Amino acid sequence: MEDKLDSKIKILIWIGVVTLLTVCFAAVPLFTDNLSFMFYMMLWIIMASAFNFVAGLAGYMPFGYVAFYGVGAYATGILYKTFGLPIPVALIGAGLMGVAVGLLLAPTLRLRGVYFGIVSLALAMAAKLTIALMPAEITGGSLGLILSSANNPLAAYYAMFIVLLMLLACGTWLSMSRTGTALRAIRDDQEAAAVVGVNVVGTRMKAWISAALFPALVGGVEAWYTNAIDLESSFNLLITAKSIVYAMAGGLGYLVGPILGSGLLYGVDQLIWRQFPTLNLLLLGVIIVVLMLMLPRGIVGAFAQRFSKLRKYIP
């Protein structure tokens, strides 16, 4: 009886978080034309949360996470610019391409720990090289692709908003269903999980494909928002690094962790960039190091450790 009550309280807290995010991001265009800050806030919440699906819930650390983002950006650009498809169709194609790449790389899930991380990083570099070697008539070559004819920042903002809603729904399903329990069991002890009947391959595949789909969609929507795609930006390893740092700063394994970490650190990043543009990365790095040393489990993880009786209520 008590467990059911705890579960209901946890769900109500999560519903409150989702409602707050939905109202805030949906209402922004009604009050300002400057959408950039909130657009990129959504982008990093999605990137960090999708990373949390595979790292926090399943225990895999994909250092080549940027590959899905880059593939999604280029899939959108090629489908729109080269093949003349409408942007919504191109974005669906970007998501499907991300899933396809995720399925292609799925055999690497047999590896664990640092071995998986290194292989995923190598595969991301291979994906970048593959696109670089494709005909310039398709990918735009070294100049990349320009999507100026599709320019519509407001529509791109709401496209990112829809992706955010999809991510929140997916996170709810992955974390609060039996799938979430199975994923945590695999993360803690894969062999023991298999012994008690958990479908290890199928369960971790759900988290992996989810972690491939959302970065691909984000890459596509961001390409639409900026109207420009090039190899260096689309496969920049800083995208992986920021996704990891934002997710870890908030707290891996919790739904609210990456949301809190992204919101806080992205805000600090922008504040430092405006005040000290030449020292931006140095100061941000110092803040991240201090945060990791003082709160190695992240903000939410530290809160759960300090107030252990409240942990069962944290989504």
Side-chain angles (χ1 to χ4, degrees):
M1 187 70 180
E2 189 175 344
D3 288 344
K4 287 185 178 179
L5 180 61
D6 294 343
S7 180
K8 285 182 179 178
I9 294 174
K10 182 178 177 179
I11 291 172
L12 285 174
I13 292 173
W14 178 238
I15 290 174
V17 172
V18 171
T19 303
L20 181 63
L21 289 173
T22 303
V23 171
C24 285
F25 286 115
V28 166
L30 300 178
F31 299 102
T32 177
D33 293 329
N34 185 7
L35 303 176
S36 180
F37 180 82
M38 297 302 277
F39 176 87
Y40 282 99
M41 179 79 79
M42 287 193 288
L43 183 151
W44 288 116
I45 287 176
I46 296 168
M47 291 295 289
S49 295
F51 181 83
N52 184 44
F53 291 164
V54 69
L57 297 180
Y60 288 87
M61 195 65 75
F63 294 144
Y65 186 57
V66 68
F68 302 120
Y69 178 93
V71 166
Y74 264 90
T76 301
I78 291 171
L79 290 174
Y80 174 77
K81 187 80 174 181
T82 308
F83 294 100
L85 296 177
I87 279 291
V89 177
L91 291 176
I92 293 172
L96 292 176
M97 186 58 72
V99 170
V101 173
L103 291 172
L104 189 66
L105 304 184
T108 62
L109 292 172
R110 286 178 293 185
L111 301 172
R112 300 287 292 180
V114 69
Y115 302 104
F116 173 80
I118 292 172
V119 169
S120 72
L121 180 59
L123 291 173
M125 296 171 70
K128 178 181 177 182
L129 186 59
T130 301
I131 292 177
L133 293 176
M134 290 173 67
E137 299 79 36
I138 297 177
T139 63
S142 59
L143 298 177
L145 295 166
I146 303 298
L147 311 181
S148 55
S149 57
N151 182 43
N152 191 337
L154 182 61
Y157 178 91
Y158 277 113
M160 189 65 84
F161 177 66
I162 291 171
V163 177
L164 175 65
L165 295 182
M166 291 168 58
L167 173 116
L168 295 172
C170 183
T172 305
W173 166 64
L174 273 179
S175 179
M176 296 190 175
S177 65
R178 296 182 66 178
T179 302
T181 305
L183 279 171
R184 293 185 183 89
I186 294 170
R187 177 194 62 191
D188 296 338
D189 192 329
Q190 182 173 307
E191 287 73 23
V195 168
V196 298
V198 173
N199 181 350
V200 174
V201 175
T203 305
R204 70 187 180 191
M205 185 62 76
K206 293 175 184 175
W208 176 245
I209 293 303
S210 300
L213 169 65
F214 288 104
L217 289 172
V218 166
V221 176
E222 204 270 347
W224 182 21
Y225 187 77
T226 60
N227 301 317
I229 306 167
D230 65 83
L231 275 174
E232 295 308 316
S233 300
S234 299
F235 288 89
N236 191 334
L237 291 178
L238 197 57
I239 294 172
T240 294
K242 283 192 172 184
S243 300
I244 294 174
V245 169
Y246 290 176
M248 292 185 69
L252 285 173
Y254 300 96
L255 286 174
V256 294
I259 295 172
L260 182 62
S262 301
L264 181 64
L265 283 186
Y266 178 69
V268 171
D269 184 17
Q270 291 301 300
L271 182 64
I272 294 174
W273 186 81
R274 289 174 185 175
Q275 298 296 325
F276 311 100
T278 58
L279 299 174
N280 171 250
L281 289 179
L282 175 62
L283 292 176
L284 183 62
V286 170
I287 290 173
I288 290 170
V289 169
V290 171
L291 188 61
M292 289 295 106
L293 287 174
M294 295 181 66
L295 303 172
R297 295 174 183 269
I299 298 169
V300 178
F303 179 85
Q305 189 178 28
R306 176 68 178 83
F307 304 98
S308 56
K309 290 184 179 179
L310 298 179
R311 178 181 299 177
K312 56 190 175 185
Y313 302 127
I314 302 174

